[in-house]
Amino acid sequence: MEILHVSAECYPVAKVGGLADVVGSLPKYQQDLGHIAKVVMPMHRMKFLYENEWVVDHKGNINMGSRNLDYTIIKEKENKLGYDLYCVDIFGLTDREKVYGYDDDTERFTAFQIAVVDWLSKWEHRPGVVHVHDHHAALIPFMMQHCFDYRHLAEVPTVITIHNGQYQGWMSWDKSDYLPSWDSWQWGKLDWDNMINPLACGVKCAHRVTTVSPSYMEELMSDANGLEQLFVMERGKCTGILNGIDVAVWDPQKDTYILDNYSVDDLESGKLLNKEKLCRDFNLDKEKPLFIYIGRLVGEKAADLLPRSIQDALFHLNSRMNFLILGSGDPDVEWQLEALKGPFTGYYNSQIGYNEKLAHQMYAGADFILMPSRVEPCGLNQMYAMRYGTVPVVRSIGGLKDTVVDIGDAGGYGIRFNNASVWDITYSIHRAVELYDDKERLQAIREQIMRIDNSWELSAERYINLYQTIR
Ligand code: GLC
């Protein structure tokens, strides 16, 4: 089967969050299963673009409102990612250094989607499925079904995967003429609460809807930033499929970013060497349990609770642990985290920004990873961490709930808590410190989590099975 993935991000071309990791790796595993998977994304001006060779695949022209736009589809020449990668270039719109965050994001992503559908309409054959990811690509099923020029694509199966339902791509109705001339009887498919809501439209129009974990699918029925009723109504075509991780990229035995490679057989010495280096680099004490946080510093991830939790834990537990934070986001949280460096030198450090190499070193060198998320559709960091023998300390939500079992339960290997609160976080840190002191148990748990198979194999197949249920 031929699968076309449409996404704003794809690792290693452009990454803001987990979406990129998923779109970067799922197609590889689908290819391994004997299918043809392709990815199309906007041609952001990223390093990957300049460092690789490209060929022009197609040139076309589209209208968006009163604007007439030329677009070019280029294809990476050497199949470096293991599948065909296409980028859409639209002069003045996709040619930016960041993926998101511009005032004209609505125009940029609408034009991107129109160009993708226009290109698709010129193919001599039809793909087996068009698989769109998040709201930046969510208008595509509507366009294929209800825009007059593209109705010959209406029968092509479509799937939307929701990696994050918080962002929906809202646009006001005065922008409805951005879409290529469409059947106005279908306005209800675009509308939610008097706005054009691309994510809601994707859920209504796609043949199947998936989220990146079963628990998150359930949660969306009662907490979906306004779309709860929609998910309840459409639940018949909704499924949760847990993300996998790219075990070739996240492999402590082969990882070139880390100081010392290790496997489950020499895990104790391997982790220790990596921890020593990390602690040296960040002026921390290698004898104490090291807790890390990696990710965006935003409310969704409950990063605002970190400064207070870290302070309380260090204070009440007599500084029996160390913390290292890597991430960027809310300026206020960034500032608070940076401010802890002074009073807690030797116990605490942070680096504001995004650093793939350091992230790998942290997974390898840490003892525990903190993920207090308020919303976590899947979460990949806990799975990366476990692969490196780092124990997850997570809130019981979404994909975290589906991938971590508490040490208090049969066969458990992580620490879970219920509320996104300073108290729950510090209490969990306390439990983790106790586990750290029980060396034998810790060692057994590390071995156990390193052996857990969170690879894509199973989930990649689940997607294929899902595509096959359409018609
Ligand atoms: C988003 C979600 C995260 C998920 C990722 C990949 O970033 O917030 O939970 O793991 O997408 O699906």
Side-chain angles (χ1 to χ4, degrees), residues 17-19 22 163-164 212 243 296 300-301 375-380:
L19 167 66
V22 170
H163 298 259
N164 193 333
V212 288
N243 284 333
R296 289 179 298 130
E300 232 180 284
K301 305 285 177 199
V375 182
E376 196 60 84
C378 176
L380 298 168

Side-chain angles (χ1 to χ4, degrees), residues 72-131:
T72 308
I73 309 271
I74 58 169
K75 180 179 167 195
E76 192 270 315
K77 213 169 153 183
E78 287 170 15
N79 204 275
K80 283 211 174 138
L81 304 185
Y83 49 83
D84 286 338
L85 170 72
Y86 298 87
C87 290
V88 181
D89 190 28
I90 307 171
F91 179 72
L93 287 177
T94 57
D95 44 1
R96 311 275 173 87
E97 275 169 26
K98 285 190 301 177
V99 178
Y100 319 109
Y102 299 99
D103 290 343
D104 60 349
D105 276 358
T106 298
E107 286 74 10
R108 297 172 63 234
F109 287 107
T110 307
F112 161 66
Q113 294 177 80
I114 302 172
V116 170
V117 177
D118 193 73
W119 170 55
L120 199 59
S121 76
K122 304 288 183 323
W123 287 21
E124 280 166 12
H125 67 286
R126 304 272 169 258
V129 62
V130 174
H131 187 157

Side-chain angles (χ1 to χ4, degrees), residues 99-245:
V99 178
Y100 319 109
Y102 299 99
D103 290 343
D104 60 349
D105 276 358
T106 298
E107 286 74 10
R108 297 172 63 234
F109 287 107
T110 307
F112 161 66
Q113 294 177 80
I114 302 172
V116 170
V117 177
D118 193 73
W119 170 55
L120 199 59
S121 76
K122 304 288 183 323
W123 287 21
E124 280 166 12
H125 67 286
R126 304 272 169 258
V129 62
V130 174
H131 187 157
V132 304
H133 297 265
D134 276 352
H135 75 83
H136 319 98
L139 289 171
I140 287 178
F142 177 88
M143 291 187 203
M144 291 166 65
Q145 290 158 20
H146 305 301
C147 289
F148 297 115
D149 287 347
Y150 304 127
R151 271 184 160 173
H152 53 287
L153 299 173
E155 298 298 307
V156 177
T158 51
V159 173
I160 182 167
T161 293
I162 300 170
H163 298 259
N164 193 333
Q166 294 297 107
Y167 305 99
Q168 299 168 5
W170 309 268
M171 50 206 262
S172 56
W173 267 101
D174 58 10
K175 293 190 172 163
S176 63
D177 70 330
Y178 281 4
L179 301 179
S181 152
W182 50 279
D183 178 356
S184 55
W185 284 96
Q186 302 294 340
W187 72 273
K189 301 239 165 81
L190 292 166
D191 186 78
W192 193 264
D193 260 348
N194 299 323
M195 296 279 279
I196 294 181
N197 185 317
L199 191 74
C201 177
V203 172
K204 292 179 200 178
C205 295
H207 297 89
R208 294 287 183 275
V209 178
T210 72
T211 55
V212 288
S213 71
S215 288
Y216 185 55
M217 188 80 255
E218 279 305 308
E219 287 160 16
L220 285 176
M221 311 269 168
S222 56
D223 182 7
N225 206 3
L227 300 186
E228 300 76 16
Q229 275 314 307
L230 176 65
F231 286 106
V232 171
M233 286 185 303
E234 300 284 4
R235 72 186 308 164
K237 63 176 183 186
C238 294
T239 335
I241 299 181
L242 197 66
N243 284 333
I245 58 171

Side-chain angles (χ1 to χ4, degrees), residues 289-339:
L290 174 59
F291 289 80
I292 55 168
Y293 173 92
I294 300 177
R296 289 179 298 130
L297 303 173
V298 294
E300 232 180 284
K301 305 285 177 199
D304 50 299
L305 301 178
L306 289 173
R308 193 52 211 286
S309 306
I310 291 169
Q311 240 168 313
D312 279 14
L314 285 169
F315 188 71
H316 294 298
L317 298 169
N318 295 327
S319 307
R320 277 164 65 200
M321 76 297 288
N322 285 183
F323 294 94
L324 180 58
I325 311 285
L326 170 65
S328 63
D330 185 339
D332 195 42
V333 178
E334 287 182 0
W335 182 86
Q336 288 182 46
L337 286 169
E338 287 288 274

